Amino acid sequence: MPVSHSVPYLAGYNRIADSLGRAVETTLLGKSSAKAALEQAQKRLEVIWSEK
């Protein structure tokens, strides 16, 4: 496929993908606005990376 790409090799990529997936899910289910969901995802990731 001309538009396909491999998953990036990046430490913590699974956590990034999980946080973004949760943001998309809460937005699609109408539980949150896209902006609020992404802000929450950013906060989660900052907590995860500050622990290292």
Side-chain angles (χ1 to χ4, degrees):
M1 294 177 122
V3 295
S4 66
H5 297 281
S6 63
V7 173
Y9 182 73
L10 175 68
Y13 176 78
N14 288 339
R15 290 182 174 184
I16 295 169
D18 182 55
S19 289
L20 289 174
R22 289 181 188 194
V24 170
E25 180 180 357
T26 58
T27 301
L28 292 175
L29 293 174
K31 295 180 179 181
S32 178
S33 69
K35 181 178 180 184
L38 289 173
E39 287 172 349
Q40 183 63 33
Q42 180 66 39
K43 288 178 187 177
R44 264 195 310 273
L45 291 171
E46 286 173 359
V47 168
I48 290 168
W49 282 324
S50 68
E51 292 175 351
K52 291 184 177 186

Short mmCIF file of all heavy atoms in Angstrom, two decimals:
data_model
loop_
_atom_site.label_atom_id
_atom_site.label_comp_id
_atom_site.label_asym_id
_atom_site.label_seq_id
_atom_site.Cartn_x
_atom_site.Cartn_y
_atom_site.Cartn_z
N MET A 1 0.83 -1.18 0.00
CA MET A 1 0.00 0.00 0.00
C MET A 1 0.89 1.25 0.00
O MET A 1 1.80 1.35 0.81
CB MET A 1 -0.89 0.03 1.23
CG MET A 1 -1.91 -1.04 1.31
SD MET A 1 -2.77 -0.84 2.89
CE MET A 1 -4.39 -0.65 2.31
N PRO A 2 0.61 2.17 -0.84
CA PRO A 2 1.44 3.37 -0.91
C PRO A 2 1.30 4.29 0.31
O PRO A 2 2.17 5.12 0.55
CB PRO A 2 0.96 4.08 -2.18
CG PRO A 2 -0.38 3.52 -2.46
CD PRO A 2 -0.42 2.14 -1.87
N VAL A 3 0.24 4.16 1.08
CA VAL A 3 0.07 5.06 2.24
C VAL A 3 0.38 4.38 3.57
O VAL A 3 0.26 5.00 4.62
CB VAL A 3 -1.36 5.64 2.29
CG1 VAL A 3 -1.62 6.52 1.08
CG2 VAL A 3 -2.39 4.53 2.38
N SER A 4 0.78 3.12 3.55
CA SER A 4 1.05 2.42 4.81
C SER A 4 2.45 2.73 5.31
O SER A 4 3.36 3.05 4.55
CB SER A 4 0.88 0.92 4.61
OG SER A 4 1.87 0.44 3.72
N HIS A 5 2.60 2.65 6.62
CA HIS A 5 3.89 2.88 7.26
C HIS A 5 4.04 1.88 8.39
O HIS A 5 3.06 1.38 8.95
CB HIS A 5 3.97 4.29 7.85
CG HIS A 5 3.86 5.37 6.82
ND1 HIS A 5 4.91 5.74 6.03
CD2 HIS A 5 2.82 6.14 6.46
CE1 HIS A 5 4.52 6.71 5.22
NE2 HIS A 5 3.24 6.97 5.46
N SER A 6 5.27 1.62 8.77
CA SER A 6 5.50 0.74 9.91
C SER A 6 5.28 1.52 11.20
O SER A 6 5.30 2.75 11.22
CB SER A 6 6.91 0.18 9.86
OG SER A 6 7.85 1.24 9.97
N VAL A 7 5.10 0.79 12.27
CA VAL A 7 4.96 1.41 13.59
C VAL A 7 6.34 1.96 13.96
O VAL A 7 7.35 1.27 13.81
CB VAL A 7 4.49 0.37 14.62
CG1 VAL A 7 4.50 0.94 16.01
CG2 VAL A 7 3.13 -0.15 14.25
N PRO A 8 6.41 3.19 14.44
CA PRO A 8 7.73 3.76 14.76
C PRO A 8 8.40 3.01 15.91
O PRO A 8 7.73 2.53 16.83
CB PRO A 8 7.42 5.20 15.17
CG PRO A 8 5.97 5.27 15.38
CD PRO A 8 5.33 4.12 14.70
N TYR A 9 9.70 2.91 15.83
CA TYR A 9 10.47 2.31 16.91
C TYR A 9 10.84 3.43 17.87
O TYR A 9 11.76 4.20 17.64
CB TYR A 9 11.73 1.63 16.35
CG TYR A 9 12.53 0.94 17.43
CD1 TYR A 9 12.07 -0.24 18.00
CD2 TYR A 9 13.72 1.47 17.87
CE1 TYR A 9 12.79 -0.87 19.00
CE2 TYR A 9 14.44 0.85 18.87
CZ TYR A 9 13.97 -0.32 19.43
OH TYR A 9 14.68 -0.94 20.42
N LEU A 10 10.06 3.53 18.92
CA LEU A 10 10.21 4.63 19.87
C LEU A 10 9.90 4.09 21.25
O LEU A 10 8.87 3.43 21.45
CB LEU A 10 9.22 5.75 19.50
CG LEU A 10 9.10 6.95 20.40
CD1 LEU A 10 10.38 7.77 20.36
CD2 LEU A 10 7.93 7.81 19.95
N ALA A 11 10.78 4.36 22.19
CA ALA A 11 10.53 3.91 23.56
C ALA A 11 9.22 4.51 24.06
O ALA A 11 9.00 5.72 23.93
CB ALA A 11 11.68 4.33 24.46
N GLY A 12 8.35 3.70 24.57
CA GLY A 12 7.08 4.18 25.09
C GLY A 12 6.00 4.38 24.05
O GLY A 12 4.95 4.93 24.35
N TYR A 13 6.23 3.91 22.83
CA TYR A 13 5.23 4.11 21.78
C TYR A 13 3.89 3.49 22.14
O TYR A 13 2.85 4.06 21.85
CB TYR A 13 5.73 3.55 20.44
CG TYR A 13 4.67 3.67 19.37
CD1 TYR A 13 4.45 4.89 18.74
CD2 TYR A 13 3.87 2.59 19.01
CE1 TYR A 13 3.46 5.03 17.78
CE2 TYR A 13 2.88 2.72 18.06
CZ TYR A 13 2.68 3.94 17.44
OH TYR A 13 1.70 4.07 16.50
N ASN A 14 3.92 2.33 22.79
CA ASN A 14 2.65 1.67 23.15
C ASN A 14 1.83 2.56 24.07
O ASN A 14 0.61 2.61 23.96
CB ASN A 14 2.92 0.33 23.82
CG ASN A 14 3.42 -0.70 22.83
OD1 ASN A 14 3.23 -0.57 21.63
ND2 ASN A 14 4.08 -1.72 23.34
N ARG A 15 2.49 3.24 24.99
CA ARG A 15 1.76 4.13 25.90
C ARG A 15 1.19 5.33 25.17
O ARG A 15 0.10 5.80 25.48
CB ARG A 15 2.67 4.57 27.03
CG ARG A 15 2.99 3.43 27.96
CD ARG A 15 3.83 3.87 29.11
NE ARG A 15 3.99 2.78 30.05
CZ ARG A 15 4.63 2.89 31.19
NH1 ARG A 15 5.15 4.04 31.54
NH2 ARG A 15 4.74 1.84 31.99
N ILE A 16 1.94 5.83 24.21
CA ILE A 16 1.45 6.96 23.41
C ILE A 16 0.21 6.53 22.63
O ILE A 16 -0.82 7.21 22.64
CB ILE A 16 2.53 7.46 22.43
CG1 ILE A 16 3.71 8.05 23.21
CG2 ILE A 16 1.97 8.50 21.47
CD1 ILE A 16 4.93 8.32 22.35
N ALA A 17 0.31 5.39 21.97
CA ALA A 17 -0.81 4.90 21.16
C ALA A 17 -2.02 4.62 22.03
O ALA A 17 -3.16 4.92 21.65
CB ALA A 17 -0.39 3.63 20.41
N ASP A 18 -1.81 4.07 23.23
CA ASP A 18 -2.91 3.78 24.14
C ASP A 18 -3.60 5.07 24.59
O ASP A 18 -4.83 5.16 24.59
CB ASP A 18 -2.41 3.00 25.35
CG ASP A 18 -3.52 2.63 26.31
OD1 ASP A 18 -4.50 2.00 25.86
OD2 ASP A 18 -3.41 2.98 27.50
N SER A 19 -2.82 6.07 24.94
CA SER A 19 -3.40 7.34 25.39
C SER A 19 -4.18 8.02 24.28
O SER A 19 -5.27 8.55 24.51
CB SER A 19 -2.30 8.28 25.90
OG SER A 19 -1.80 7.81 27.12
N LEU A 20 -3.64 8.00 23.08
CA LEU A 20 -4.36 8.60 21.96
C LEU A 20 -5.61 7.81 21.62
O LEU A 20 -6.66 8.39 21.30
CB LEU A 20 -3.45 8.71 20.74
CG LEU A 20 -2.35 9.76 20.84
CD1 LEU A 20 -1.42 9.69 19.63
CD2 LEU A 20 -2.92 11.15 21.00
N GLY A 21 -5.53 6.50 21.71
CA GLY A 21 -6.69 5.66 21.46
C GLY A 21 -7.82 5.93 22.45
O GLY A 21 -8.99 6.01 22.08
N ARG A 22 -7.46 6.12 23.72
CA ARG A 22 -8.46 6.46 24.72
C ARG A 22 -9.09 7.82 24.44
O ARG A 22 -10.30 8.01 24.63
CB ARG A 22 -7.84 6.47 26.11
CG ARG A 22 -7.48 5.11 26.61
CD ARG A 22 -6.89 5.20 27.99
NE ARG A 22 -6.36 3.93 28.42
CZ ARG A 22 -6.03 3.65 29.66
NH1 ARG A 22 -6.19 4.56 30.60
NH2 ARG A 22 -5.55 2.48 29.98
N ALA A 23 -8.28 8.76 24.00
CA ALA A 23 -8.81 10.09 23.68
C ALA A 23 -9.80 10.02 22.52
O ALA A 23 -10.88 10.63 22.57
CB ALA A 23 -7.66 11.05 23.34
N VAL A 24 -9.46 9.27 21.50
CA VAL A 24 -10.36 9.10 20.36
C VAL A 24 -11.65 8.42 20.80
O VAL A 24 -12.76 8.85 20.44
CB VAL A 24 -9.67 8.31 19.22
CG1 VAL A 24 -10.66 7.91 18.15
CG2 VAL A 24 -8.53 9.12 18.63
N GLU A 25 -11.52 7.38 21.61
CA GLU A 25 -12.69 6.64 22.07
C GLU A 25 -13.64 7.52 22.88
O GLU A 25 -14.85 7.51 22.63
CB GLU A 25 -12.25 5.45 22.92
CG GLU A 25 -13.39 4.61 23.43
CD GLU A 25 -12.92 3.44 24.28
OE1 GLU A 25 -11.70 3.25 24.44
OE2 GLU A 25 -13.80 2.72 24.78
N THR A 26 -13.13 8.27 23.84
CA THR A 26 -14.01 9.11 24.66
C THR A 26 -14.67 10.19 23.82
O THR A 26 -15.82 10.56 24.09
CB THR A 26 -13.27 9.75 25.85
OG1 THR A 26 -12.18 10.53 25.38
CG2 THR A 26 -12.77 8.71 26.82
N THR A 27 -13.97 10.67 22.81
CA THR A 27 -14.56 11.68 21.93
C THR A 27 -15.68 11.08 21.09
O THR A 27 -16.76 11.65 20.99
CB THR A 27 -13.48 12.30 21.02
OG1 THR A 27 -12.46 12.88 21.84
CG2 THR A 27 -14.06 13.37 20.12
N LEU A 28 -15.42 9.91 20.51
CA LEU A 28 -16.43 9.27 19.66
C LEU A 28 -17.66 8.83 20.45
O LEU A 28 -18.77 8.83 19.92
CB LEU A 28 -15.83 8.07 18.93
CG LEU A 28 -14.79 8.40 17.86
CD1 LEU A 28 -14.19 7.13 17.29
CD2 LEU A 28 -15.40 9.24 16.75
N LEU A 29 -17.47 8.48 21.71
CA LEU A 29 -18.60 8.08 22.55
C LEU A 29 -19.34 9.28 23.13
O LEU A 29 -20.34 9.11 23.82
CB LEU A 29 -18.12 7.16 23.68
CG LEU A 29 -17.60 5.80 23.24
CD1 LEU A 29 -17.02 5.05 24.43
CD2 LEU A 29 -18.69 4.99 22.57
N GLY A 30 -18.85 10.47 22.85
CA GLY A 30 -19.52 11.68 23.32
C GLY A 30 -19.29 11.97 24.79
O GLY A 30 -20.01 12.78 25.38
N LYS A 31 -18.29 11.32 25.39
CA LYS A 31 -18.01 11.54 26.81
C LYS A 31 -17.14 12.76 27.06
O LYS A 31 -17.04 13.22 28.19
CB LYS A 31 -17.33 10.31 27.39
CG LYS A 31 -18.20 9.07 27.39
CD LYS A 31 -17.46 7.90 27.99
CE LYS A 31 -18.33 6.65 28.00
NZ LYS A 31 -17.63 5.51 28.60
N SER A 32 -16.52 13.27 26.01
CA SER A 32 -15.60 14.39 26.15
C SER A 32 -15.43 15.09 24.81
O SER A 32 -15.62 14.47 23.76
CB SER A 32 -14.25 13.87 26.65
OG SER A 32 -13.32 14.90 26.77
N SER A 33 -15.03 16.34 24.87
CA SER A 33 -14.67 17.03 23.62
C SER A 33 -13.29 16.54 23.20
O SER A 33 -12.52 16.00 24.02
CB SER A 33 -14.64 18.54 23.83
OG SER A 33 -13.54 18.91 24.66
N ALA A 34 -12.96 16.72 21.96
CA ALA A 34 -11.65 16.30 21.46
C ALA A 34 -10.54 17.03 22.21
O ALA A 34 -9.53 16.43 22.60
CB ALA A 34 -11.55 16.54 19.96
N LYS A 35 -10.72 18.31 22.42
CA LYS A 35 -9.70 19.11 23.11
C LYS A 35 -9.48 18.60 24.53
O LYS A 35 -8.34 18.39 24.95
CB LYS A 35 -10.10 20.58 23.14
CG LYS A 35 -9.08 21.45 23.82
CD LYS A 35 -9.47 22.91 23.81
CE LYS A 35 -8.39 23.71 24.51
NZ LYS A 35 -8.71 25.11 24.63
N ALA A 36 -10.56 18.37 25.27
CA ALA A 36 -10.44 17.89 26.65
C ALA A 36 -9.81 16.49 26.69
O ALA A 36 -8.98 16.20 27.56
CB ALA A 36 -11.80 17.88 27.32
N ALA A 37 -10.19 15.63 25.77
CA ALA A 37 -9.65 14.27 25.73
C ALA A 37 -8.15 14.28 25.45
O ALA A 37 -7.39 13.54 26.07
CB ALA A 37 -10.38 13.44 24.69
N LEU A 38 -7.72 15.13 24.53
CA LEU A 38 -6.29 15.21 24.21
C LEU A 38 -5.51 15.85 25.36
O LEU A 38 -4.37 15.47 25.62
CB LEU A 38 -6.08 15.98 22.91
CG LEU A 38 -6.51 15.22 21.66
CD1 LEU A 38 -6.41 16.13 20.44
CD2 LEU A 38 -5.68 13.97 21.46
N GLU A 39 -6.10 16.80 26.04
CA GLU A 39 -5.44 17.39 27.20
C GLU A 39 -5.25 16.35 28.29
O GLU A 39 -4.20 16.30 28.93
CB GLU A 39 -6.23 18.59 27.72
CG GLU A 39 -6.13 19.81 26.83
CD GLU A 39 -7.06 20.94 27.24
OE1 GLU A 39 -7.96 20.74 28.08
OE2 GLU A 39 -6.88 22.04 26.70
N GLN A 40 -6.24 15.50 28.49
CA GLN A 40 -6.13 14.43 29.48
C GLN A 40 -5.07 13.42 29.07
O GLN A 40 -4.29 12.96 29.91
CB GLN A 40 -7.49 13.73 29.67
CG GLN A 40 -7.48 12.66 30.73
CD GLN A 40 -7.19 13.20 32.11
OE1 GLN A 40 -7.55 14.31 32.45
NE2 GLN A 40 -6.52 12.41 32.91
N ALA A 41 -5.01 13.09 27.81
CA ALA A 41 -3.98 12.17 27.31
C ALA A 41 -2.60 12.76 27.54
O ALA A 41 -1.67 12.04 27.95
CB ALA A 41 -4.20 11.88 25.82
N GLN A 42 -2.44 14.05 27.29
CA GLN A 42 -1.15 14.71 27.50
C GLN A 42 -0.75 14.64 28.98
O GLN A 42 0.40 14.36 29.30
CB GLN A 42 -1.22 16.17 27.05
CG GLN A 42 0.08 16.93 27.22
CD GLN A 42 1.20 16.41 26.34
OE1 GLN A 42 0.96 16.05 25.19
NE2 GLN A 42 2.40 16.37 26.86
N LYS A 43 -1.69 14.87 29.87
CA LYS A 43 -1.40 14.80 31.30
C LYS A 43 -0.95 13.40 31.70
O LYS A 43 0.00 13.23 32.47
CB LYS A 43 -2.62 15.21 32.12
CG LYS A 43 -2.91 16.68 32.07
CD LYS A 43 -4.17 17.00 32.86
CE LYS A 43 -4.56 18.46 32.66
NZ LYS A 43 -5.82 18.78 33.36
N ARG A 44 -1.64 12.38 31.17
CA ARG A 44 -1.26 10.99 31.47
C ARG A 44 0.16 10.70 31.01
O ARG A 44 0.95 10.10 31.72
CB ARG A 44 -2.22 10.01 30.79
CG ARG A 44 -3.35 9.52 31.64
CD ARG A 44 -4.04 8.29 31.03
NE ARG A 44 -4.44 8.42 29.65
CZ ARG A 44 -5.60 8.94 29.24
NH1 ARG A 44 -6.47 9.38 30.10
NH2 ARG A 44 -5.88 9.02 27.96
N LEU A 45 0.48 11.14 29.80
CA LEU A 45 1.81 10.88 29.27
C LEU A 45 2.89 11.64 30.05
O LEU A 45 3.98 11.12 30.26
CB LEU A 45 1.87 11.25 27.78
CG LEU A 45 1.07 10.32 26.89
CD1 LEU A 45 1.00 10.88 25.47
CD2 LEU A 45 1.67 8.93 26.88
N GLU A 46 2.60 12.85 30.49
CA GLU A 46 3.58 13.60 31.28
C GLU A 46 3.85 12.90 32.60
O GLU A 46 4.99 12.85 33.06
CB GLU A 46 3.08 15.03 31.50
CG GLU A 46 3.17 15.87 30.25
CD GLU A 46 2.53 17.24 30.39
OE1 GLU A 46 1.99 17.55 31.46
OE2 GLU A 46 2.60 18.01 29.40
N VAL A 47 2.82 12.32 33.21
CA VAL A 47 3.01 11.58 34.46
C VAL A 47 3.87 10.34 34.20
O VAL A 47 4.80 10.04 34.96
CB VAL A 47 1.64 11.17 35.08
CG1 VAL A 47 1.83 10.16 36.20
CG2 VAL A 47 0.92 12.40 35.58
N ILE A 48 3.58 9.63 33.13
CA ILE A 48 4.33 8.42 32.80
C ILE A 48 5.80 8.75 32.58
O ILE A 48 6.68 8.08 33.11
CB ILE A 48 3.74 7.73 31.55
CG1 ILE A 48 2.38 7.13 31.88
CG2 ILE A 48 4.68 6.66 31.02
CD1 ILE A 48 1.59 6.69 30.66
N TRP A 49 6.08 9.79 31.80
CA TRP A 49 7.47 10.10 31.47
C TRP A 49 8.20 10.77 32.62
O TRP A 49 9.41 10.68 32.71
CB TRP A 49 7.53 10.95 30.22
CG TRP A 49 7.35 10.12 28.98
CD1 TRP A 49 7.80 8.86 28.78
CD2 TRP A 49 6.64 10.47 27.80
NE1 TRP A 49 7.42 8.41 27.54
CE2 TRP A 49 6.72 9.38 26.93
CE3 TRP A 49 5.98 11.62 27.40
CZ2 TRP A 49 6.15 9.40 25.67
CZ3 TRP A 49 5.41 11.63 26.15
CH2 TRP A 49 5.49 10.53 25.29
N SER A 50 7.51 11.41 33.53
CA SER A 50 8.19 12.03 34.68
C SER A 50 8.61 10.98 35.70
O SER A 50 9.47 11.23 36.53
CB SER A 50 7.30 13.08 35.33
OG SER A 50 6.19 12.48 35.96
N GLU A 51 8.02 9.78 35.64
CA GLU A 51 8.36 8.72 36.55
C GLU A 51 9.70 8.08 36.21
O GLU A 51 10.30 7.42 37.03
CB GLU A 51 7.28 7.62 36.53
CG GLU A 51 5.97 8.07 37.10
CD GLU A 51 4.86 7.03 36.96
OE1 GLU A 51 5.09 6.01 36.25
OE2 GLU A 51 3.79 7.23 37.52
N LYS A 52 10.17 8.27 35.01
CA LYS A 52 11.43 7.62 34.59
C LYS A 52 12.64 8.42 34.99
O LYS A 52 12.74 9.51 35.20
CB LYS A 52 11.41 7.41 33.07
CG LYS A 52 10.41 6.39 32.68
CD LYS A 52 10.46 6.11 31.22
CE LYS A 52 9.47 5.02 30.88
NZ LYS A 52 9.54 4.59 29.52
#
